[in-house]
């Protein structure tokens, strides 16, 4: 969902001239396993996913929160190397 949201963010910018601050524009604010947030400012945006409480991903202490930004930087890198 994070990579899809990143692509939708770029499409949003092409059509509207700015990045979105609303996850509804980028595929939705949550799934069964993660809650998503975005915060755009100028030409920069981070998109984050936080493991939903009580789900199996919440047990992975190293990867409770994942992120990607407008530069394609991913964090934590350990969690993206699978």
């Amino acid at each position: 969902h994070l990579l899809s949201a990143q692509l939708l963010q770029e499409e949003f910018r092409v059509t509207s001239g700015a990045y979105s601050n609303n996850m509804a524009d980028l595929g939705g604010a949550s799934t069964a396993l993660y809650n998503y947030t975005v915060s755009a400012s100028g030409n920069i945006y981070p998109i984050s996913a936080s493991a939903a409480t009580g789900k199996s991903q919440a047990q992975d202490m190293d990867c409770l929160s994942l992120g990607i930004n407008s530069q394609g930087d991913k964090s934590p890198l350990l969690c993206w190397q699978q």
Side-chain angles (χ1 to χ4, degrees), residues 14 20 23 35 43 45-47 50 56 62-63 74 78 82:
V14 167
S20 175
M23 278 305 298
N35 298 309
N43 291 329
Y45 65 84
I47 303 173
S50 299
S56 59
D62 292 329
C63 301
K74 300 171 183 172
L78 164 75
Q82 308 220 6

Side-chain angles (χ1 to χ4, degrees), residues 5 8-10 12-13 16-29 36-48 70:
L8 289 170
Q9 183 71 294
E10 296 301 331
F12 188 90
R13 183 172 186 233
S16 70
Y19 288 123
S20 175
N21 277 310
N22 187 343
M23 278 305 298
D25 296 328
L26 310 178
Y36 299 90
T37 58
V38 62
S39 178
S41 177
N43 291 329
I44 299 170
Y45 65 84
I47 303 173
S48 300
S70 51

